[in-house]
Each structure stands twice: as C-alpha cells, then as structure tokens.
C-alpha cells in the first residue's frame, strides 16, 4: 500500500517598514523559531538606505519541503507585516488575494515630503478582506519600550504563524538578551499584548 505523501505547508511572509523599526530583527526571530520547530527557511532582505528612515523589506519563506527561491512571487504572500502603514500599500500586490492577511501598524513615519493623509492610508488598508490594524506604538509604550512595536505586530498575528508562541518567545530571549533583561521583558510583554488583541 502506497504511503500517503506529507501535506506541503508553506507560509510566505513579507516584512516591510523603514530603517530603525526592527523589521529585520523580527524576521530573524520568526525564522529561528521556525527552524527550531523543524521547518526549512529562506530569507531575502533589501535595505533601501542604511540610515533610519530608508525603506526596509524582508521576504521570509517557511515550509516543510525544500524552498527553491528566497523571494516571494507577487500574489503569493500569506502575511504582510507592515511596521509603517504606507509601506503596507506599497506591497499589496504581493498579498495572496485568497488567503493573505495584512498586519499593519497605524503610526505613520513621514519620511517623504508628499506623505498622504494618514486616514486615507488606513481607510485603504481597512478595505482589504483580511486586515489587522494595530496601534502598536501605544502598546509598545505600555510594555516599556516603544521600540518593541515590531513584536506587538508579531503577537497580533501569532495565530497565523506556523510556530507556537513559545518558540517565538524563546528566540526573543535569545536575540535580545545581550541588551539586558529590561529589553527582553519589554519585548516579551509587547508580544503578549499583541496576542491579546481580539480580531473580529
């Protein structure tokens, strides 16, 4: 009797924002958690400008089967983490129309002179079938470190990731421990605050 082939699981994630928001750190945390859980991972990063305020993009592909390309084709992303709301709109064409979810922060970083009206930007995101708009900055401040807003977004999408929350938490501790216990605890708390958000 032929053995049933294992079902292929893939999770393709776009992480976008601007320099200094910690988007690449989050990509590392999720990637390491996925590898610790036995998944194969490929990453690709683009730094628009090295200084704060420049565009930052990461492709993160997770699967239980071999991954041939580190970049995600347009229309195939399962999750877009947008650490800045206008960046969410920039990468919408990568989102899967059937199952993709945008998880976006609501606080703008006006790094261009022609930055559009923020309410118009948020209204466009709200039109999407599956969008989670998060006031990540406020929750990060409550957690004790405004720079942990990136982990608030990850927490807000924890149910969409193929790894358990405990795996994410373990990698947060590993990555941030050199920065001191206060930073570790703020990031863990930010992740928990994100997880506590109820999505209708």
């Amino acid at each position: 009797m032929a053995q049933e082939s294992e079902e292929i699981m893939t999770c393709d994630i776009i992480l976008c924002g601007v320099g200094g928001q910690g988007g690449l750190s989050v990509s590392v945390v999720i990637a390491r958690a996925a590898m610790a859980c036995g998944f194969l991972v490929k990453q690709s990063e683009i730094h628009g400008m090295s200084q704060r305020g420049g565009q930052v993009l990461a492709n993160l592909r997770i699967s239980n089967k071999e991954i041939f390309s580190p970049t995600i084709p347009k229309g195939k992303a399962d999750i877009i983490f947008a650490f800045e709301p206008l960046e969410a709109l920039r990468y919408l064409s990568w989102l899967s129309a059937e199952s993709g979810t945008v998880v976006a922060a609501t606080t703008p970083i006006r790094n261009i002179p022609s930055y559009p009206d923020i309410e118009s930007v948020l209204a466009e995101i709200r039109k999407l079938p599956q969008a989670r708009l998060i006031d990540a900055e406020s929750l990060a401040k409550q957690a004790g470190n405004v720079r942990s807003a990136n982990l608030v977004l990850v927490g807000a999408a924890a149910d969409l990731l193929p790894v358990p929350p405990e795996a994410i938490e373990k990698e947060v501790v590993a990555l941030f421990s050199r920065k001191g216990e206060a930073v570790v605890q703020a990031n863990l708390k930010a992740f928990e605050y994100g997880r506590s958000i109820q999505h209708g």
Side-chain angles (χ1 to χ4, degrees), residues 72-188:
I72 299 167
K74 285 192 174 183
K76 296 297 182 182
D78 299 297
I79 307 169
I80 293 180
F81 283 113
F83 305 103
E84 200 286 331
L86 187 58
E87 294 298 311
L89 298 185
R90 189 197 300 267
Y91 293 103
L92 278 187
S93 58
W94 271 264
L95 189 69
S96 167
E98 298 82 38
S99 59
T101 301
V102 171
V103 185
T106 56
T107 303
I109 295 180
R110 294 181 171 85
N111 57 343
I112 53 171
S114 57
Y115 196 101
D117 173 64
I118 185 59
E119 287 309 319
S120 301
V121 172
L122 298 179
E124 286 300 310
I125 297 172
R126 287 190 187 100
K127 289 177 186 175
L128 299 169
Q130 297 181 86
R132 300 179 180 183
L133 281 167
I134 314 294
D135 187 356
E137 188 171 294
S138 291
L139 289 171
K141 284 177 183 173
Q142 290 176 41
N145 187 340
V146 70
R147 295 191 65 187
S148 63
N150 52 0
L151 266 303
V152 174
L153 289 194
V154 176
D159 59 310
L160 304 175
L161 296 171
V163 296
E166 299 76 30
I168 298 285
E169 290 167 348
K170 184 177 179 182
E171 297 306 327
V172 166
V173 172
L175 186 66
F176 293 104
S177 58
R178 61 187 170 82
K179 296 190 175 183
E181 187 62 19
V183 172
V184 169
Q185 290 306 316
N187 279 284
L188 289 173

Side-chain angles (χ1 to χ4, degrees), residues 18-101:
V18 299
Q21 290 190 295
L24 299 182
S25 296
V26 159
S27 179
V28 169
V29 164
I30 299 171
R32 288 180 178 175
M35 287 188 287
C37 291
F39 291 108
L40 299 173
V41 172
K42 270 197 167 45
Q43 284 180 284
S44 168
E45 298 171 2
I46 297 171
H47 304 253
M49 294 183 336
S50 59
Q51 73 265 35
R52 288 176 184 273
Q55 173 193 355
V56 173
L57 170 69
N59 284 224
L60 176 58
R61 311 195 74 181
I62 302 168
S63 181
N64 59 354
K65 297 291 184 183
E66 187 176 358
I67 305 164
F68 294 101
S69 171
T71 55
I72 299 167
K74 285 192 174 183
K76 296 297 182 182
D78 299 297
I79 307 169
I80 293 180
F81 283 113
F83 305 103
E84 200 286 331
L86 187 58
E87 294 298 311
L89 298 185
R90 189 197 300 267
Y91 293 103
L92 278 187
S93 58
W94 271 264
L95 189 69
S96 167
E98 298 82 38
S99 59
T101 301

